[in-house]
Amino acid sequence: MSDDRDRIDDDVDAELRFHFDERVEALIAEGIAPTAARARAESEFGDVRAVRTGLVAIDRRMHRRRRRREAGILFAQDVRQAVRRLGRSPVFVAATVLTLALGIGAVTAVFGVVDAVALRPLPYPASDRVVRVQNAVPVLDDGVWGMAKGQYLAYREESRSFEALGLYRLDATAIGPEPGVELAEQVRTANVTASIADVVGARVSLGRLIRAEEELGNGAPVVVLSNAFWRRFFGGDPAVLGRTIALGGRPHEVIGVLEPGVRLPEETAYGERMAVDLWQPMALDPTEPAQNHHVFRVIGRLAPGVTPDVAVRELTAVVARFPETLPTAYSVRFLRETGFAPMVVPLREDVVGESARVLWILLGAVGVVLLIACANVANLFLVRIESRRRETAVRTVLGAARGDLARHFLAESLLIVLVAGALGLLGAWAALRLLVAAAPPSIPRLPEIGMDPLVVTLAFGLALAIGVVFGLLPTGGRGAAGRVLAESGRSTTPSRRRRAVRSVLVITQVGLCFALLAGAGLLIRSFDALLDVDPAFESAGVLQFRVMLPSDGYPDNATSVAFYRVLGERVEALPGVTAVGTATAVPLGGVNACTGTRPMAPAAVVDGLCISVDFITPGLFAALGVSVRGREPAWADLGAGDPVAVVSAGLARRYWGDADPIGQLVRVGGSETPHRVVGVSADIRNDALDRPPVDVLYVAAQPFRAAFRTLSVFVRTDQPNPLVVLPSVRRVLAELDPRVALVRPSTMDAIVLSSMSRLTFSAKLLGIAAFIALFIGGIGIYGVVSYTVSQRTAEIGIRVALGARHVQVRRWVLQDTLRLAAIGIVMGWLIMLPLGRTLASLLYDVTPADPATLIAVALLLAFVALLAGWLPARRALRVDPVEALRSG
């Protein structure tokens, strides 16, 4: 095109110069001086040049349009021809489309999850500066505490690192009961400071937000409803403002309704499981003495230019002054012995946590599936290219340019991959719905997962990239056209180079399959090991639910304990119920209330520590089927002057070593009266089956303590499905007090399974990816071996004609197949070296180099390779040697 443009410019300049010279000569002939004649001619021809230049520009544009139109017409012709050619190869089209659709769909679906969970910004203003503020306590097993009110007030007053800082605590209470409802309903609440709205960018659809003066609790109780709760409970009635609702037995005025999408970090992390129904003002009185009670949560937005490390240094200086500024809560000894120190963690890191590692592993797994699919399709394309080498050579010899060949083959490959991309996108949409439904609650940001534009762009971007690569494969050997034509009539045996390319693709497939299958096998072994873990309680036949007592009518623990005693007696009298007990914590629930304890006996081998304390009522250990040496608390122990407790076996060893703990005394928190140990229980796994048991002190819920209005109730039944007694339990609660809410009923079997949900989810997805990879890899091995055998049919005929037995020919084919598989298995083992270290955090009681798993995977792949090689060999041996020699 540039040559044509230069030629046009030269022609125009030459013509203008000719006419210019003629005009100058004519003016001189009329008697005009040469200089004046030249100036007059230049004036006249300036306008002519402008016109001619415009005409040339128009001609150039028309030329470019004509070239583009011709290219479009040619490509449309290539597409129509490609449709006809592909229609004559339905097996090839179906195999490539389905293989690519599986790979593209799997990658797109898992990337949709990774994008929503780990890549997309959190739904807060300047979310990259939003952080979680916590406390590091190195002497404890978990090592992290929340925030205390006094600590928060000190930070708010003295720190300059934060643009906004908000304190909140998630809780639950009962609302109602409403007319026609048998029991009160549980609502999840958030007690918040007014500043939390600035951190999360909260706005209201109706009314107003909580004000700072309402934190002092001087006025009437107020509440702000979430948008979802407003629509669900009040039908979206705008007249809700000013209404009074009963929460925990106390009236609260509705002052506002939040806009849709306003969420606290826990709602972002756990979705509907932690959805907050309403906000209440945090009771925050600066005049109260500070307490060492770190149960609150703090998030803040860093000031521009401030990093988490800078904020930690500033807060560390504030904490160092706590023995002077907050002496009722912190001492120099406490700070020194616990290592108490502030932590500032980016909120994205806090919300996503370990889930990001799991999701990146799964994305890598499906990426491997896509690589295997591409290797398989590459083999199919190479086979198709091999069959069309003569056609390509003829086109080249007849003058076809490289661009013409590229357009010709690109039309085919783009048609195939775009159809595969569309099918993969449809499959990804369905897979995302299944993933969200099957994902455990520990996967954060589940409601945000969907087919957003980035995910769609990824699907078609992958399809186009794969199509371009495969479409350009046939154009690589243009210079060898004459040799191809010369060789085409002499031999049908593929060259060593072409066989090597296909062999490398097969080896790659086997190696990647080995890595995926080994990873899935290790997770399955871990899951099997978890099933053998003894949780130290009997989950079968146990119903669990939480009971929430309203503050009105249960002002102290004496009334609360009396209610739970009557409830236990009434429920235990129901048909099929054998035992009832209550506790503040649920086994495998992952919630441990840390309280300072100190053994009183001289035989104690350690000083006091912060230990998980579970407040219980009599009957708990019988309801859970936990073995106890000694005895568990009885109702006669409650209210007596000698409070009793049960210690876990681990805590007994920790406090008293080999000495008998029964009869020993333990001081709990700030209580002046020590508790006498009356029993030693088995070590219950409170966090998860893959976590070691937590040392626990079980304390009978004494009437003189603060009121325990929310406890978990455990009901042991002789029914296979303990949920059948739930309606009877509801009737008992309604008869005792209809304001009491029954919350989250479930079976202990379901809780045990839920504790393994993360490993189960990972094992299922990685297992599915491994199965797909094995299926595609097996087809790839079969395709390559089958094609190689078919290309060497003449050679096989010669071998048979010269006396080779069928078993020898079959062995020859299978040896080649097993050689490729063995090299691939070695390659897969090398891949597993770094992959095993990545998977180590997900494994339980299994090492990444577990020999049983790796050997089993190797044998499985060898069997698949043998099967893939045996079928083509069997088919080739059915060919008549004479016909094979004639066709060769």
Side-chain angles (χ1 to χ4, degrees):
M1 185 178 293
S2 60
D3 294 340
D4 293 340
R5 185 159 52 247
D6 293 340
R7 179 178 53 77
I8 292 172
D9 290 341
D10 293 342
D11 292 345
V12 170
D13 290 342
E15 186 178 357
L16 286 175
R17 282 196 300 271
F18 175 76
H19 288 293
F20 177 79
D21 292 340
E22 279 190 338
R23 180 59 175 160
V24 170
E25 292 176 359
L27 290 174
I28 292 174
E30 293 177 4
I32 299 175
T35 303
R38 195 168 192 84
R40 182 173 175 180
E42 287 178 352
S43 175
E44 293 175 357
F45 273 81
D47 296 336
V48 174
R49 174 177 287 278
V51 173
R52 296 299 297 270
T53 301
L55 292 175
V56 169
I58 293 173
D59 183 67
R60 290 173 182 168
R61 289 196 296 271
M62 295 296 292
H63 182 71
R64 286 194 295 268
R65 290 175 184 172
R66 186 166 56 253
R67 291 290 299 269
R68 285 196 296 266
R69 186 165 56 251
E70 291 173 354
I73 292 172
L74 290 175
F75 188 74
Q77 291 175 350
D78 286 330
V79 169
R80 288 194 294 270
Q81 293 173 6
V83 171
R84 289 195 294 269
R85 286 194 301 271
L86 293 174
R88 293 193 291 267
S89 306
V91 176
F92 168 77
V93 172
T96 52
V97 166
L98 291 178
T99 302
L100 284 177
L102 279 173
I104 292 174
V107 168
T108 304
V110 177
F111 178 78
V113 179
V114 172
D115 173 56
V117 174
L119 300 180
R120 201 177 302 166
L122 294 175
Y124 304 127
S127 63
D128 59 315
R129 291 191 280 123
V130 179
V131 294
R132 171 84 69 192
V133 185
Q134 299 169 302
N135 295 295
V137 190
V139 299
L140 299 181
D141 292 335
D142 58 6
V144 178
W145 275 2
M147 191 72 59
K149 288 183 179 181
Q151 183 184 13
Y152 165 75
L153 290 172
Y155 285 176
R156 192 174 69 178
E157 292 296 324
E158 301 183 43
S159 173
R160 298 294 176 266
S161 295
F162 297 93
E163 207 172 58
L165 199 64
L167 180 77
Y168 67 100
R169 184 182 185 183
L170 300 185
D171 205 345
T173 188
I175 182 171
E178 293 297 303
V181 179
E182 190 177 55
L183 284 175
E185 179 182 336
Q186 181 220 17
V187 290
R188 182 169 288 278
T189 64
N191 295 82
V192 303
T193 59
S195 55
I196 203 74
D198 295 331
V199 181
V200 302
R203 300 290 184 270
V204 289
S205 299
L206 296 173
R208 65 175 177 84
L209 291 166
I210 293 168
R211 295 171 180 160
E213 57 267 22
E214 289 168 334
E215 298 170 2
L216 300 176
N218 296 328
V222 297
V223 66
V224 176
L225 309 179
S226 74
N227 201 277
F229 180 74
W230 170 57
R231 295 184 183 280
R232 183 180 77 248
F233 202 83
F234 295 99
D237 183 6
V240 71
L241 294 181
R243 285 184 56 175
T244 300
I245 58 176
L247 296 176
R250 296 183 61 196
H252 288 67
E253 180 188 354
V254 178
I255 61 170
V257 177
L258 295 170
E259 286 186 346
V262 176
R263 296 192 291 271
L264 294 173
E266 283 67 29
E267 296 175 82
T268 297
Y270 301 107
E272 295 301 322
R273 177 187 172 191
M274 299 291 283
V276 172
D277 296 314
L278 47 89
W279 287 7
Q280 295 177 280
M282 173 72 72
L284 201 62
D285 187 356
T287 64
E288 287 184 350
Q291 298 183 31
N292 197 326
H293 190 52
H294 297 85
V295 297
F296 301 93
R297 307 166 191 256
V298 169
I299 55 174
R301 186 185 304 109
L302 295 172
V306 177
T307 65
D309 291 339
V310 171
V312 166
R313 286 196 293 270
E314 183 190 43
L315 297 182
T316 300
V318 175
V319 170
R321 295 191 295 271
F322 277 0
E324 301 174 6
T325 58
L326 304 174
T328 58
Y330 305 94
S331 65
V332 174
R333 180 183 177 186
F334 170 80
L335 296 181
R336 182 180 65 251
E337 292 183 354
T338 62
F340 187 87
M343 295 173 58
V344 178
V345 182
L347 189 60
R348 178 200 292 274
E349 179 182 324
D350 181 76
V351 167
V352 176
E354 287 296 317
S355 298
R357 176 189 292 271
V358 176
L359 293 176
W360 283 115
I361 290 173
L362 294 177
L363 182 60
V366 296
V368 169
V369 172
L370 180 60
L371 288 177
I372 294 172
C374 288
N376 199 11
V377 171
N379 260 325
L380 292 174
F381 267 89
L382 288 174
V383 170
R384 186 169 175 81
I385 292 169
E386 189 74 29
S387 64
R388 299 179 64 185
R389 290 179 70 233
R390 180 176 176 82
E391 173 194 343
T392 304
V394 169
R395 287 175 179 269
T396 302
V397 170
L398 292 178
R402 186 182 294 272
D404 296 329
L405 290 175
R407 191 182 63 246
H408 176 77
F409 289 105
L410 274 173
E412 281 191 16
S413 63
L414 288 178
L415 273 176
I416 290 173
V417 298
L418 287 178
V419 173
L423 287 177
L425 195 60
L426 183 62
W429 173 80
L432 275 177
R433 295 173 67 91
L434 294 175
L435 280 174
V436 172
S442 58
I443 300 295
R445 309 180 72 178
L446 283 179
E448 301 176 41
I449 296 174
M451 296 292 291
D452 67 355
L454 181 62
V455 177
V456 176
T457 302
L458 172 72
F460 281 102
L462 281 174
L464 286 174
I466 293 170
V468 169
V469 171
F470 288 156
L472 295 179
L473 282 177
T475 64
R478 185 171 178 263
R483 179 166 48 83
V484 170
L485 291 175
E487 291 177 353
S488 61
R490 291 199 307 265
S491 173
T492 59
T493 301
S495 69
R496 179 175 298 178
R497 182 179 62 85
R498 295 197 298 273
R499 288 202 306 270
V501 170
R502 282 191 282 274
S503 297
V504 168
L505 290 174
V506 169
I507 291 170
T508 303
Q509 285 179 298
V510 174
L512 295 175
C513 280
F514 180 90
L516 269 185
L517 286 169
L522 290 172
L523 288 179
I524 293 172
R525 288 286 306 276
S526 296
F527 180 75
D528 187 58
L530 279 180
L531 292 178
D532 293 334
V533 171
D534 180 13
F537 63 88
E538 298 176 8
S539 61
V542 179
L543 170 70
Q544 180 271 332
F545 57 88
R546 290 185 74 79
V547 169
M548 303 182 63
L549 304 182
S551 57
D552 183 22
Y554 302 91
D556 51 38
N557 209 42
T559 53
S560 299
V561 170
F563 175 85
Y564 287 116
R565 180 171 186 173
V566 175
L567 174 64
E569 292 172 350
R570 296 279 300 273
V571 172
E572 195 168 355
L574 294 175
V577 176
T578 59
V580 179
T582 60
T584 53
V586 178
L588 302 178
V591 177
N592 302 298
C594 174
T595 304
T597 64
R598 185 171 68 257
M600 305 298 293
V605 295
V606 293
D607 198 357
L609 295 172
C610 193
I611 298 297
S612 181
V613 176
D614 194 358
F615 294 94
I616 66 172
T617 62
L620 173 70
F621 296 106
L624 288 176
V626 177
S627 62
V628 177
R629 183 172 66 85
R631 69 176 180 88
E632 65 174 302
W635 287 108
D637 296 317
L638 275 66
D642 182 22
V644 300
V646 173
V647 297
S648 65
L651 183 59
R653 290 189 298 270
R654 186 174 184 178
Y655 271 173
W656 295 283
D658 296 332
D660 188 1
I662 296 179
Q664 304 286 357
L665 299 178
V666 178
R667 192 181 298 278
V668 182
S671 174
E672 296 182 359
T673 305
H675 288 65
R676 181 169 50 88
V677 177
V678 296
V680 179
S681 74
D683 286 324
I684 298 177
R685 295 178 184 258
N686 276 13
D687 290 328
L689 287 176
D690 59 346
R691 299 285 300 276
V694 175
D695 294 339
V696 183
L697 180 69
Y698 300 95
V699 176
Q702 296 290 336
F704 56 79
R705 296 190 60 86
F708 292 103
R709 297 194 183 93
T710 302
L711 290 178
S712 293
V713 181
F714 303 89
V715 180
R716 175 164 292 280
T717 72
D718 56 11
Q719 303 293 323
N721 181 11
L723 288 174
V724 298
V725 304
L726 186 59
S728 301
V729 173
R730 289 186 183 276
R731 285 194 296 272
V732 169
L733 278 173
E735 292 169 1
L736 291 176
D737 191 340
R739 299 173 303 161
V740 174
L742 186 151
V743 181
R744 293 195 298 273
S746 66
T747 66
M748 287 304 297
D749 280 340
I751 291 175
V752 171
L753 291 177
S754 177
S755 71
M756 299 186 291
S757 58
R758 189 188 71 165
L759 180 59
T760 306
F761 178 70
S762 304
K764 284 181 180 178
L765 290 188
L766 202 58
I768 292 172
F771 175 78
I772 294 173
L774 181 64
F775 176 73
I776 295 175
I779 292 177
I781 296 172
Y782 170 78
V784 169
V785 175
S786 179
Y787 178 74
T788 302
V789 170
S790 67
Q791 291 291 299
R792 304 178 74 173
T793 301
E795 179 184 347
I796 293 174
I798 293 173
R799 288 174 179 265
V800 173
L802 293 177
R805 291 178 297 175
H806 284 192
V807 66
Q808 293 175 317
V809 175
R810 187 179 291 114
R811 186 188 305 119
W812 163 63
V813 174
L814 293 180
Q815 282 175 347
D816 279 353
T817 306
L818 283 178
R819 177 177 54 81
L820 297 180
I823 298 173
I825 289 170
V826 173
M827 173 185 171
W829 182 79
L830 294 175
I831 295 173
M832 273 301 298
L833 294 178
L835 179 62
R837 290 192 292 268
T838 305
L839 280 175
S841 62
L842 300 179
L843 303 179
Y844 176 76
D845 202 28
V846 177
T847 63
D850 179 55
T853 303
L854 300 183
I855 292 173
V857 171
L859 292 176
L860 175 62
L861 282 174
F863 172 76
V864 171
L866 278 175
L867 184 63
W870 180 76
L871 293 175
R874 182 170 177 267
R875 188 175 62 249
L877 289 173
R878 292 179 176 177
V879 177
D880 184 11
V882 177
E883 293 295 327
L885 291 172
R886 185 180 295 117
S887 64

